[in-house]
Amino acid sequence: MLKGKTALVTGSTSGIGLGVALCLARQGANIVLNGFGDSEGPKAQVAALGVKVGYHGADMSKPGEIAQMMSYATEQFGGVDVLVNNAGIQHVANVEDFPVEKWDAIIAINLSSAFHTTRLAIPGMRAKNWGRVINIASVHGLVASAQKSAYVAAKHGIVGFTKAAALENAKTGITVNAICPGWVLTSLVQKQIDDRAARENIAVDVAKRELLAEKQPSLQFVTPEQLGELALFLCSPAADNVRGVAWNVDGGWAAQ
Ligand code: NAD
């Protein structure tokens, strides 16, 4: 389905981003990976699917580096057809205790980076009159939790950004949508589970069950593969008129 197209997934060296990148690659998309940590392992996983793979280590909090990454994609891959804005971080604290530098980093990485990648990707998509922008928001783009003010603000922001960008491109072949996952068992969530286990002096498995029971009625973690399959649907012709939605995949979290 995506043969000959290029997908750039930010924050794709682990977790949801890597899962989505692998799903897109299975459908033939060439992949530009991004993110911190080991890039060789993820690159090898994508390459094993028989597509072209590249990597750029741009820091998503730095607009200049984001511009370099987008130029790299144009020079090496002929542009970006599917842009998945996924890179994200978390910090948990009450507003009055929230470190200012953490607030700034969360807004920069979880929200502003998507503005920069999207503004740089749209001209190329317009030239081809086809494009898909998929923002990995969160159920926290729809509802809030205490102690996550920066994350909730950034995720609500990206849902708003999704709608505005979708409207601007509504008469074109470019769609812009958001996916809003509930709990997915990645390093970002494992840290919250470990913190809870330490805080409450309970086993990690018990902390994991508590975390789910508190918010996610299915009591199951969403998987990166399930999110990748939704991203694939959003890339398909069946989704040509899905525009500006924030689609939660959250085990019933936001239905409560
Ligand atoms: P993760 O920690 O496994 O992956 C985050 C990725 O972002 C990694 O590749 C990391 O290297 C990269 N990254 C972090 N800071 C970066 C920066 N400054 N520049 C470039 N890359 C950077 O976490 P994840 O759970 O896979 O999170 C991916 C996205 O999904 C995030 O936007 C997160 O908010 C969102 N999300 C996660 C969950 C969940 O339950 N795990 C739920 C809803 C939404």
Side-chain angles (χ1 to χ4, degrees):
M1 184 174 86
L2 294 173
K3 211 167 164 36
K5 300 217 185 302
T6 295
L8 184 152
V9 186
T10 69
S12 46
T13 46
S14 70
I16 294 169
L18 181 56
V20 171
L22 290 170
C23 270
L24 298 173
R26 270 184 216 110
Q27 289 301 319
N30 297 322
I31 303 290
V32 180
L33 296 169
N34 157 262
F36 296 152
D38 171 49
S39 61
E40 289 307 317
K43 262 171 84 179
Q45 277 179 269
V46 174
L49 298 168
V51 299
K52 184 177 168 189
V53 58
Y55 166 79
H56 196 284
D59 180 338
M60 288 300 111
S61 69
K62 304 210 162 87
E65 292 187 23
I66 294 172
Q68 285 168 10
M69 178 182 74
M70 299 307 285
S71 299
Y72 163 84
T74 303
E75 283 153 22
Q76 300 292 320
F77 289 78
V80 175
D81 304 292
V82 178
L83 170 64
V84 183
N85 290 308
N86 166 80
I89 58 167
Q90 176 63 285
H91 186 80
V92 178
N94 286 329
V95 171
E96 64 275 23
D97 303 323
F98 216 91
V100 171
E101 65 281 6
K102 285 283 182 199
W103 172 279
D104 288 344
I106 288 175
I107 299 299
I109 297 165
N110 297 17
L111 175 59
S112 301
S113 73
F115 159 67
H116 291 296
T117 53
T118 305
R119 76 183 170 81
L120 295 165
I122 290 233
M125 291 176 173
R126 283 264 174 84
K128 297 177 189 170
N129 197 33
W130 195 89
R132 294 290 189 257
V133 179
I134 301 171
N135 296 320
I136 305 299
S138 166
V139 68
H140 284 117
L142 307 170
V143 296
S145 293
Q147 301 198 304
K148 294 187 176 174
S149 57
Y151 190 86
V152 168
K155 295 299 187 179
H156 274 67
I158 203 161
V159 167
F161 174 72
T162 300
K163 292 177 186 175
L167 289 179
E168 289 176 16
N169 290 284
K171 293 187 179 67
T172 76
I174 305 167
T175 71
V176 186
N177 292 293
I179 295 177
C180 298
W183 293 125
V184 186
L185 193 52
T186 64
S187 55
L188 184 141
V189 166
Q190 189 62 50
K191 184 176 178 312
Q192 294 173 60
I193 293 169
D194 294 343
D195 288 350
R196 177 188 281 256
R199 196 174 58 242
E200 296 179 12
N201 197 21
I202 53 177
V204 168
D205 266 4
V206 177
K208 205 182 270 182
R209 280 200 295 277
E210 276 188 17
L211 181 101
L212 284 171
E214 207 171 71
K215 299 276 185 181
Q216 196 144 301
S218 67
L219 301 180
Q220 291 171 359
F221 286 102
V222 175
T223 66
E225 293 69 30
Q226 289 167 342
L227 300 172
E229 290 295 328
L230 177 53
L232 273 181
F233 169 71
L234 291 173
C235 290
S236 74
D240 278 353
N241 275 303
V242 179
R243 290 170 186 264
V245 306
W247 191 326
N248 37 320
V249 185
D250 62 0
W253 181 326
Q256 297 168 98

